[in-house]
């Protein structure tokens, strides 16, 4: 199966298509030349044969007018003894041969005396294999018949040589095609695959990777050198961005934490002033929100940069989903809703446990916030929340799903919903910063997985799809429901 897939992929490449197009053009051009030469050569040889026969007939006719039948017989007998491809025969009214170098003719050939050109088979005088010839037969006074022709053995041999040349040429073209495809496969496609593999390693976070350069100076080397220079620049910029992020974390997060601590101390010191207490409490909540937003931004940036420090381990994802469901079940019940879970046992995958738990928590909290049913819901009453957590296997992929029964997300907004700071609630009165789904998508990309937002009719199914083999094995496909990072 892999061989067929690799072969199909090879024949879809531009290099192979150009090679096949070149071979097809070469085949048509050279084949056309050979056919043209063969047909024109046959025409020329036929014309020469006819002209030679007509010249012989003219010469014999002159001899017949001068010396009569006896002189014609003597001339034919003399010419028949010469080596060459010319054929002669004179017979009487009883078909008795008087002179010539032809025998074994069909009686119908001699019976026709119209002088029409015809192709016949004959046996040379003295015996031998039958041969082909072009002849004309004339009726003379007294019932005599005169046959003048030309042996075609040399022409047939020449045509046989052309046929052999055609077959040899077809074999050569086939060999050239195989050699071209082998060269393309081993040289061109091998280098393209090496570049693609390097690109995938770079996308997985290893910014030190560079495209291979073999020193040949061809177009692949020039392309690789140009891309490597670009990658050097990108790596330098990303290192600079990381330094800036670290400086921001140190220069801004620390003062925010100190401000929060001072507000908390002031709140404890002024418990009797309700106005001050309310203002300080709100300020404390704002500080906590800023710190959480700042932490989320830094974490998303590190995950999208590759998060090389994210350790992977074998984790039972079914048990992990059960733990998250057990943690949030009382929270959902306090909000007047219900939470159920359904997990297939033994769903092992190589992941970062902390990051996957954080992603599931974000999906659950997102469903709690926006997955409220319309008033008059069938089970939970007005404004109820029903959440369902599921873990199942699909081939070599584990699907972690959080479903709600709320209004869902329109198809036009599913891609936008994962962008940073995007909130589909236009009034923006609900708590949150619009970073929850962005963090989930960053976690999915780190594990070579994907985040899919699907209509549950009613509600939304948020699916976190992770490969069983963990990082380095991509499961992203062409599913239209898959949410991809912008840019």
């Amino acid at each position: 199966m892999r061989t067929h897939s690799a072969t199909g992929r090879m024949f879809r490449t531009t290099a192979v298509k150009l090679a096949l197009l070149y071979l097809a053009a070469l085949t048509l051009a050279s084949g056309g030349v050979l056919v043209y030469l063969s047909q024109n050569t046959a025409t020329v040889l036929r014309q020469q044969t006819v002209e030679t026969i007509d010249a012989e007939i003219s010469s014999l006719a002159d001899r017949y007018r001068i010396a009569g039948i006896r002189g014609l017989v003597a001339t034919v007998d003399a010419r028949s003894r010469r080596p060459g491809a010319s054929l002669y025969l004179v017979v009487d009214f009883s078909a008795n041969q008087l002179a010539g170098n032809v025998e074994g003719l069909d009686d119908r050939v001699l019976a026709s005396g119209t002088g029409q050109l015809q192709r016949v088979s004959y046996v040379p005088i003295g015996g031998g294999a039958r041969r082909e010839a072009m002849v004309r037969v004339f009726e003379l006074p007294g019932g005599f018949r005169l046959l003048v022709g030309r042996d075609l053995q040399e022409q047939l041999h020449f045509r046989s040589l052309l046929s052999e040349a055609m077959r040899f040429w077809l074999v050569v073209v086939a060999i050239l095609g195989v050699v071209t495809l082998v060269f393309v496969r081993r040289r061109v496609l091998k280098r393209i695959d090496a570049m693609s593999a390097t690109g995938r390693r770079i996308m997985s976070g290893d910014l030190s990777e560079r495209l291979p350069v073999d020193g040949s100076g061809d177009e692949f080397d020039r392309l690789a050198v140009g891309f490597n220079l670009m990658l050097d620049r990108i790596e330098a910029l990303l290192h600079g961005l990381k330094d800036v992020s670290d400086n921001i974390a140190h220069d801004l997060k620390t003062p925010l934490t100190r401000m929060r601590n001072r507000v908390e101390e002031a709140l404890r010191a002024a418990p009797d002033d309700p106005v001050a207490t309310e203002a300080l409490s709100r300020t404390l909540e704002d500080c906590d929100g800023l710190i959480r937003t700042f932490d989320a931004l830094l974490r998303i940036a590190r995950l999208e940069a590759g998060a090389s420090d994210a350790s992977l381990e074998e984790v039972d994802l079914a048990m992990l989903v059960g733990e998250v469901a057990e943690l949030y079940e009382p929270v959902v019940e306090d909000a007047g809703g219900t939470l159920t879970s359904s997990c297939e046992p033994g769903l092992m995958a190589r992941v970062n446990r902390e990051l996957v738990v954080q992603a599931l928590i974000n999906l659950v909290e997102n469903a709690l916030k926006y997955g409220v049913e319309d008033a008059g819901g069938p089970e939970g009453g007005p404004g109820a929340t029903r959440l369902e957590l599921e873990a199942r296997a699909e081939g070599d992929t584990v699907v972690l799903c959080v479903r709600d029964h709320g209004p869902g997300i329109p198809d036009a907004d599913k891609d936008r919903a994962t962008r940073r700071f995007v909130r589909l609630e236009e009034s923006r009165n609900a708590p949150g910063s619009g970073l929850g789904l962005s963090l989930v998508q960053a976690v999915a990309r780190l594990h070579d997985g994907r985040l899919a937002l699907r209509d549950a009719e009613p509600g939304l199914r948020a699916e976190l799809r992770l490969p069983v083999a963990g990082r380095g094995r991509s499961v992203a496909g062409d599913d239209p429901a898959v949410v991809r990072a912008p840019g």
Side-chain angles (χ1 to χ4, degrees):
M1 182 65 69
R2 291 183 178 177
T3 301
H4 292 306
S5 176
T7 303
R9 180 167 56 88
M10 181 183 72
F11 279 99
R12 289 194 297 269
T13 59
T14 301
V16 171
K17 290 179 180 178
L18 289 176
L20 293 177
L21 180 62
Y22 168 76
L23 286 175
L26 176 63
T27 302
L28 291 176
S30 54
V33 170
L34 285 176
V35 172
Y36 174 80
L37 290 175
S38 176
Q39 291 181 347
N40 281 271
T41 301
T43 301
V44 170
L45 292 175
R46 179 184 175 85
Q47 184 176 358
Q48 289 179 349
T49 299
V50 173
E51 291 176 353
T52 302
I53 293 174
D54 291 342
E56 293 280 358
I57 291 173
S58 177
S59 174
L60 291 174
D62 292 339
R63 182 61 179 168
Y64 179 74
R65 283 192 299 269
I66 296 173
I69 189 64
R70 291 181 180 275
L72 177 63
V73 171
T75 302
V76 168
D77 183 64
R79 293 187 180 184
S80 299
R81 300 177 187 278
R82 299 173 185 173
S86 296
L87 302 177
Y88 308 94
L89 181 63
V90 179
V91 298
D92 60 13
F93 60 90
S94 298
N96 296 317
Q97 182 171 332
L98 302 178
N101 56 1
V102 177
E103 62 183 7
L105 289 170
D106 193 321
D107 293 340
R108 289 174 295 181
V109 176
L110 294 175
S112 64
T114 60
Q116 294 293 328
L117 190 68
Q118 52 186 319
R119 183 166 178 166
V120 301
S121 64
Y122 75 101
V123 178
I125 291 294
R130 299 191 70 87
R131 305 173 73 155
E132 299 291 320
M134 297 293 294
V135 301
R136 292 185 189 271
V137 179
F138 296 92
E139 184 177 1
L140 302 176
F144 294 97
R145 295 285 193 276
L146 171 65
L147 179 146
V148 180
R150 192 79 176 173
D151 184 83
L152 300 179
Q153 190 65 26
E154 293 182 358
Q155 296 184 29
L156 294 176
H157 180 66
F158 179 75
R159 291 183 181 180
S160 176
L161 291 177
L162 283 179
S163 299
E164 290 181 3
M166 181 76 74
R167 289 191 293 269
F168 177 76
W169 165 78
L170 289 175
V171 172
V172 171
V173 169
I175 294 175
L176 284 176
V178 172
V179 171
T180 301
L181 292 179
V182 170
F183 172 79
V184 170
R185 184 182 181 90
R186 292 190 176 182
R187 174 70 177 175
V188 179
L189 296 185
K190 184 177 181 180
R191 297 202 63 183
I192 292 176
D193 290 341
M195 290 182 175
S196 299
T198 303
R200 287 192 295 270
R201 290 193 295 270
I202 292 173
M203 290 177 62
S204 67
D206 188 0
L207 298 179
S208 63
E209 285 285 343
R210 292 295 180 267
L211 298 181
V213 178
D214 63 5
S216 62
D218 60 3
E219 60 274 13
F220 289 105
D221 266 10
R222 295 196 299 271
L223 181 65
V225 169
F227 269 96
N228 288 340
L229 292 175
M230 180 186 69
L231 291 172
D232 290 339
R233 180 60 175 163
I234 291 175
E235 184 179 14
L237 291 174
L238 287 177
H239 282 308
L241 179 61
K242 182 179 181 300
D243 293 339
V244 171
S245 299
D246 292 341
N247 291 333
I248 291 176
H250 181 270
D251 295 340
L252 294 183
K253 186 178 177 180
T254 301
L256 278 174
T257 304
R258 291 174 180 172
M259 182 175 66
R260 181 192 181 282
N261 293 336
R262 286 195 294 268
V263 171
E264 193 173 19
E265 292 175 1
L267 184 62
R268 289 196 298 267
D272 298 331
D273 189 344
V275 176
T277 300
E278 178 67 19
L280 290 173
S281 297
R282 291 184 177 180
T283 303
L284 187 62
E285 292 176 0
D286 290 341
C287 288
D288 290 338
L290 283 173
I291 293 174
R292 286 194 298 272
T293 299
F294 200 76
D295 287 338
L297 278 173
L298 288 177
R299 193 160 207 178
I300 291 172
R302 288 172 181 171
L303 289 175
E304 290 182 346
S308 58
D309 58 340
S311 60
L312 304 179
E313 58 181 325
E314 288 290 333
V315 177
D316 188 341
L317 295 181
M319 184 180 296
L320 187 147
V321 171
E323 293 174 356
V324 173
E326 183 179 357
L327 175 65
Y328 270 86
E329 186 174 1
V331 178
V332 176
E333 290 177 353
D334 290 343
T338 59
L339 186 149
T340 59
S341 62
S342 173
C343 302
E344 294 181 13
L347 298 178
M348 303 298 296
R350 186 172 177 78
V351 298
N352 181 279
R353 179 185 180 89
E354 179 186 354
L355 293 177
V356 174
V357 169
Q358 183 63 59
L360 279 175
I361 289 175
N362 283 18
L363 292 178
V364 171
E365 291 185 347
N366 191 74
L368 272 173
K369 190 182 305 180
Y370 301 108
V372 180
E373 295 183 56
D374 294 335
E379 295 184 8
T385 300
R386 287 188 299 158
L387 302 184
E388 299 172 11
L389 270 66
E390 180 186 5
R392 68 180 188 277
E394 288 187 4
D396 58 355
T397 304
V398 177
V399 180
L400 309 181
C401 175
V402 178
R403 180 196 171 174
D404 61 59
H405 292 74
I409 298 177
D411 291 338
D413 293 331
K414 285 179 180 177
D415 180 71
R416 195 167 64 91
T418 61
R419 300 178 186 175
R420 301 180 191 180
F421 298 109
V422 171
R423 299 171 63 183
L424 301 182
E425 187 247 336
E426 297 181 358
S427 62
R428 301 180 74 89
N429 292 325
S433 59
L435 295 173
L437 291 181
S438 298
L439 180 59
V440 176
Q441 175 146 283
V443 172
R445 289 171 63 91
L446 177 69
H447 292 86
D448 287 332
R450 64 189 187 186
L451 171 64
L453 302 180
R454 306 179 186 274
D455 293 326
E457 298 180 354
L460 177 72
R461 291 176 58 89
E463 297 180 353
L464 178 60
R465 295 176 167 265
L466 302 174
V468 173
R471 186 170 177 177
R473 184 173 181 178
S474 178
V475 298
D478 297 327
D479 192 336
V482 175
V483 179
R484 304 186 183 276

